Amino acid sequence: MSGLFTIALDAMGGDHGPHVVVPAALKALAEFSDIHLILVGDKARLEKELAALGKAPSDRLRIHHAAQVVGMDEPPTQALRNKKDSSMRVAINLVKHQQADACVSAGNTGALMATARYVLKTLPGIDRPAIITAIPAIKGHTHMLDLGANVDCSASHLYQFAVMGSELASAVDNVSNPRVGLLNIGEEDIKGNDQVKEAAHMLEQSHLNYIGFVEGNDIYCGDVDVVVCDGFVGNVALKTSEGVARMVSHYMRAEFKRGLLSRLAALVAMPVLRKFRGRIDPRAYNGASLLGLQGVVIKSHGGADAVAFENAIRIARIEARKRVPQRIDKRLGELLNEESAS
Amino acid sequence: MSGLFTIALDAMGGDHGPHVVVPAALKALAEFSDIHLILVGDKARLEKELAALGKAPSDRLRIHHAAQVVGMDEPPTQALRNKKDSSMRVAINLVKHQQADACVSAGNTGALMATARYVLKTLPGIDRPAIITAIPAIKGHTHMLDLGANVDCSASHLYQFAVMGSELASAVDNVSNPRVGLLNIGEEDIKGNDQVKEAAHMLEQSHLNYIGFVEGNDIYCGDVDVVVCDGFVGNVALKTSEGVARMVSHYMRAEFKRGLLSRLAALVAMPVLRKFRGRIDPRAYNGASLLGLQGVVIKSHGGADAVAFENAIRIARIEARKRVPQRIDKRLGELLNEESAS
């Protein structure tokens, strides 16, 4: 749990590339004394970006050259075949070769998942990696997976997601038995599709702290620590939430701009509104983990700014410190032993 | 498009029964001069509820006795078999026998869908009815279906939903070619599950104004009129939205209560905040339509108050006026003719 952690950053990925990743790296180094960072990407470009901020490479901030960049719309198969020297791939290679304890990329999700899976491989007992992130709730936050890596999930896949999500929540939140819920469209047993019903049956038999079916609104209550669903449903839920939050902000701004009195009210209410916005600031939750791989891979939002990208680095640091992949591996081994013993 | 419309109300359904339905009925009669209402349920109870409000049955507000009530948790099959004289079933019967042009119930969704389907039958060419509702967006509103009636949908089902949703939007919003989008987890063609991809192909060939894939956040933009998805995904999206809205309200209240200055700010900002809340008031959107049946059936939220229930009556009135089932039937007939001609 102690020591130094090295995190490789895909410095060319995302909508803004080094322009966001380099300042985010500097902020992270200032905040966390126990990390070293490796900027992976075009050496000349990265040195220039550092120089512009009055900085240079150091022991704690190295540059690792990579000549290629994976495009934000590039198909995963193409990235895998033609971009062997991309900043994304090289950052993942550093994890594979144990030169880094984790990597972070804001590059395209499909390519990142395909490359990470190809290079790092999944843990024994995991069929498919899943994407998980923490979502703010009325009380604390909720971890939700899968968020889009897998569109058609069997009951076993959902079960594996539950095991992985539970280990992650336990590790990063320091809780011993995270409450695991299965996302469904009603709390009764008769509802839902076959996969969900069968997964429920598997979870009831398991040693996880399975609390039963939860519905969409429960994600935001804080009464469940891990919400499990297939990637199609999870992705829609996440994007829908973004849409609602944006509409709410839009309406609020519109109402506070309507006439002189409202503008005055806005002035008075500003500090409160600002605090409120801080509470639902998506940047504070940027950073999704690709779970089920033999290594820590964190996906930052493509449009993330430096504050948001630094948060993804923070998550990479925690998962490296807590050795999340090793913990999942250990738990899966125990479960397989239990099964073969019973 | 002119004339009088009779709407049957399941007066015993929902969490509050006559206590909400009777005042909602009185409000609706006062607001809409072109409707007659039939309160279906326990005669003595309904007369008493009316009397308590200083009213009595009239030409415009009749009582139709029904001895049974479908419980909010009662399984659909049981309701169908044992509750032939329930307020829900009798209200639907009135539509079937053309004594009412539409019915509204706040009773349990599963039982309402099963009973409506059994009594009224689906329109020719429709395999499964779907649940649709309007959702507030930054610009106007978005119609979304299915919201939970069908958990496993084939491409053909999604296509039928698109046809029905398009007709409904066209009728109630007076737009000639509503923009129809298919809910997916990415805007690229390579993403999504097989059913969605195949449905996209069918919609591209159709005469609908199909605009392609949309994502969860697009529901709230107002750049699409009809969002089509399977019932599992739609239900999760809707419930998730409710969860986000509730969390946002919670955070806002919490911030405005934190200390004296914030309380003063809340006082000043109150009128604006109230207007803002009015904009996202779910009561203004209460009332989901069971689409694809040979008759208008509107589902009110179980916990709806009189304001919300009146809104469901308003929706029933519009759909009866616009003859939505007949319009869908006509459009389906045209599509079937096109198919057999090609």
Side-chain angles (χ1 to χ4, degrees):
Chain A
M1 289 280 219
S2 62
L4 280 174
F5 304 95
T6 302
I7 302 167
L9 309 179
D10 167 7
M12 313 304 284
D15 299 340
H16 313 295
H19 200 59
V20 153
V21 177
V22 172
L26 295 171
K27 285 161 74 76
L29 287 175
E31 190 169 343
F32 305 110
S33 57
D34 59 355
I35 61 170
H36 283 190
L37 298 176
I38 305 174
L39 294 167
V40 182
D42 183 85
K43 189 159 181 279
R45 172 89 195 272
L46 292 170
E47 282 172 343
K48 208 171 139 192
E49 198 76 42
L50 274 173
L53 296 164
K55 304 279 177 181
S58 68
D59 262 13
R60 292 189 65 204
L61 182 64
R62 283 180 291 139
I63 292 176
H64 189 113
H65 182 68
Q68 295 176 304
V69 177
V70 173
M72 288 306 275
D73 293 323
E74 198 162 342
T77 46
Q78 195 177 303
L80 211 50
R81 200 181 310 122
N82 304 333
K83 296 287 176 73
K84 294 189 181 156
D85 196 26
S86 71
S87 54
M88 179 190 282
R89 176 100 166 231
V90 173
I92 297 170
N93 281 337
L94 290 172
V95 176
K96 181 184 168 67
H97 299 119
Q98 300 181 354
Q99 297 176 266
D101 302 294
C103 67
V104 181
S105 174
N108 101 52
T109 311
L112 183 64
M113 180 56 96
T115 307
R117 197 174 166 173
Y118 178 80
V119 173
L120 296 175
K121 313 296 179 210
T122 52
L123 291 164
I126 294 296
D127 297 323
R128 301 172 174 190
I131 301 175
I132 188 167
T133 198
I135 292 170
I138 287 179
K139 289 171 277 177
H141 55 252
T142 309
H143 300 272
M144 182 159 157
L145 80 167
D146 174 42
L147 296 174
N150 309 283
V151 293
D152 283 302
C153 293
S154 69
S156 304
H157 296 140
L158 294 172
Y159 174 76
Q160 291 167 18
F161 296 169
V163 173
M164 297 195 289
S166 174
E167 276 307 306
L168 177 116
S170 163
V172 304
D173 294 342
N174 284 319
V175 290
S176 50
N177 277 305
R179 296 157 297 178
V180 176
L182 201 50
L183 192 59
N184 201 352
I185 64 167
E187 283 160 22
E188 305 101 90
D189 284 344
I190 49 158
K191 291 185 177 168
N193 58 32
D194 292 342
Q195 303 90 285
V196 167
K197 285 184 211 166
E198 198 189 324
H201 187 70
M202 292 172 76
L203 287 168
E204 279 158 11
Q205 317 279 313
S206 78
H207 289 85
L208 296 177
N209 182 10
Y210 173 62
I211 61 165
F213 292 136
V214 295
E215 294 192 75
N217 47 316
D218 295 316
I219 301 168
Y220 294 91
C221 288
D223 294 327
V224 55
D225 299 303
V226 181
V227 171
V228 175
C229 58
D230 83 42
F232 195 105
V233 171
N235 188 283
V236 167
L238 197 68
K239 294 265 174 74
T240 300
S241 302
E242 287 171 18
V244 175
R246 204 171 302 140
M247 181 183 70
V248 165
S249 302
H250 173 90
Y251 279 171
M252 189 136 57
R253 268 198 308 274
E255 289 301 344
F256 273 113
K257 277 186 184 161
R258 202 184 288 260
L260 189 63
L261 271 179
S262 295
R263 280 168 196 268
L264 283 173
L267 220 59
V268 176
M270 190 64 80
V272 186
L273 291 175
R274 199 174 291 135
K275 263 188 212 156
F276 161 71
R277 266 189 227 126
R279 293 282 289 269
I280 58 165
D281 187 351
R283 297 184 301 177
Y285 284 87
N286 181 52
S289 313
L290 273 50
L291 224 52
L293 297 165
Q294 302 189 23
V296 175
V297 180
I298 305 297
K299 157 77 181 144
S300 161
H301 197 284
D305 64 9
V307 172
F309 196 92
E310 191 207 347
N311 198 64
I313 299 174
R314 183 185 63 77
I315 293 172
R317 171 181 168 268
I318 295 173
E319 293 192 19
R321 278 186 62 182
K322 300 284 185 157
R323 300 168 56 82
V324 169
Q326 291 86 340
R327 283 185 62 145
I328 293 174
D329 191 32
K330 185 160 169 275
R331 169 53 69 102
L332 287 167
E334 290 164 5
L335 289 172
L336 288 173
N337 280 339
E338 277 170 27
E339 271 173 36
S340 58
S342 68
Chain B
M1 288 281 219
S2 63
L4 280 174
F5 304 95
T6 303
I7 303 167
L9 309 179
D10 167 8
M12 313 304 284
D15 299 339
H16 313 295
H19 200 59
V20 152
V21 177
V22 172
L26 295 170
K27 286 161 74 77
L29 287 175
E31 190 170 343
F32 305 110
S33 57
D34 60 354
I35 60 170
H36 283 191
L37 298 175
I38 305 174
L39 294 167
V40 182
D42 184 87
K43 189 160 182 279
R45 172 90 196 272
L46 292 171
E47 280 172 344
K48 208 170 141 195
E49 198 75 42
L50 272 174
L53 297 164
K55 303 282 177 178
S58 68
D59 263 10
R60 292 188 66 203
L61 183 64
R62 284 181 290 138
I63 291 176
H64 189 114
H65 182 68
Q68 294 176 304
V69 178
V70 173
M72 289 306 275
D73 294 323
E74 199 162 342
T77 46
Q78 195 178 304
L80 210 51
R81 199 182 310 122
N82 304 334
K83 295 287 176 73
K84 293 190 181 158
D85 196 26
S86 71
S87 54
M88 179 190 282
R89 176 99 168 230
V90 173
I92 297 171
N93 281 338
L94 290 172
V95 175
K96 181 185 167 68
H97 299 121
Q98 299 180 355
Q99 295 176 268
D101 301 294
C103 67
V104 181
S105 174
N108 100 52
T109 311
L112 183 65
M113 179 56 96
T115 307
R117 198 173 167 174
Y118 178 79
V119 172
L120 296 175
K121 314 297 178 209
T122 52
L123 291 164
I126 294 297
D127 297 323
R128 300 173 175 191
I131 302 176
I132 188 168
T133 198
I135 292 169
I138 286 179
K139 289 171 277 177
H141 56 253
T142 309
H143 301 272
M144 183 160 159
L145 80 168
D146 172 42
L147 296 174
N150 310 282
V151 292
D152 283 303
C153 294
S154 69
S156 303
H157 295 142
L158 294 173
Y159 174 76
Q160 292 167 17
F161 297 169
V163 172
M164 297 195 289
S166 174
E167 276 308 306
L168 177 115
S170 164
V172 304
D173 294 343
N174 285 318
V175 289
S176 50
N177 277 305
R179 295 157 298 178
V180 176
L182 202 50
L183 192 60
N184 201 352
I185 63 166
E187 283 159 22
E188 306 101 271
D189 285 344
I190 49 158
K191 289 186 178 167
N193 58 31
D194 292 342
Q195 303 91 285
V196 166
K197 284 185 209 166
E198 198 189 325
H201 188 70
M202 293 173 76
L203 287 168
E204 279 158 11
Q205 317 280 313
S206 78
H207 289 85
L208 297 177
N209 182 10
Y210 173 63
I211 61 164
F213 292 136
V214 296
E215 294 192 74
N217 47 316
D218 295 315
I219 301 168
Y220 294 92
C221 288
D223 294 326
V224 55
D225 300 303
V226 181
V227 171
V228 175
C229 58
D230 83 45
F232 195 105
V233 171
N235 188 283
V236 167
L238 197 69
K239 294 262 173 75
T240 300
S241 302
E242 287 171 18
V244 175
R246 203 170 302 140
M247 181 184 68
V248 164
S249 301
H250 173 90
Y251 278 171
M252 188 136 57
R253 267 198 308 273
E255 289 302 343
F256 272 113
K257 277 185 184 160
R258 202 184 288 260
L260 190 62
L261 269 179
S262 295
R263 282 169 195 268
L264 283 173
L267 219 59
V268 176
M270 191 64 81
V272 186
L273 291 176
R274 199 173 291 136
K275 264 189 211 154
F276 162 71
R277 265 190 227 125
R279 292 282 290 268
I280 58 164
D281 187 350
R283 298 183 301 176
Y285 284 86
N286 181 53
S289 313
L290 273 49
L291 224 51
L293 299 164
Q294 302 188 24
V296 175
V297 180
I298 305 298
K299 157 77 180 143
S300 162
H301 197 286
D305 65 9
V307 172
F309 197 92
E310 192 207 348
N311 198 63
I313 299 175
R314 184 186 64 75
I315 292 172
R317 171 181 168 268
I318 295 173
E319 293 192 18
R321 278 186 62 182
K322 300 282 185 158
R323 300 169 56 83
V324 168
Q326 291 86 340
R327 283 185 62 144
I328 293 174
D329 192 33
K330 184 159 170 277
R331 169 54 70 103
L332 287 167
E334 290 164 4
L335 289 172
L336 288 174
N337 280 337
E338 275 170 29
E339 271 175 37
S340 58
S342 69

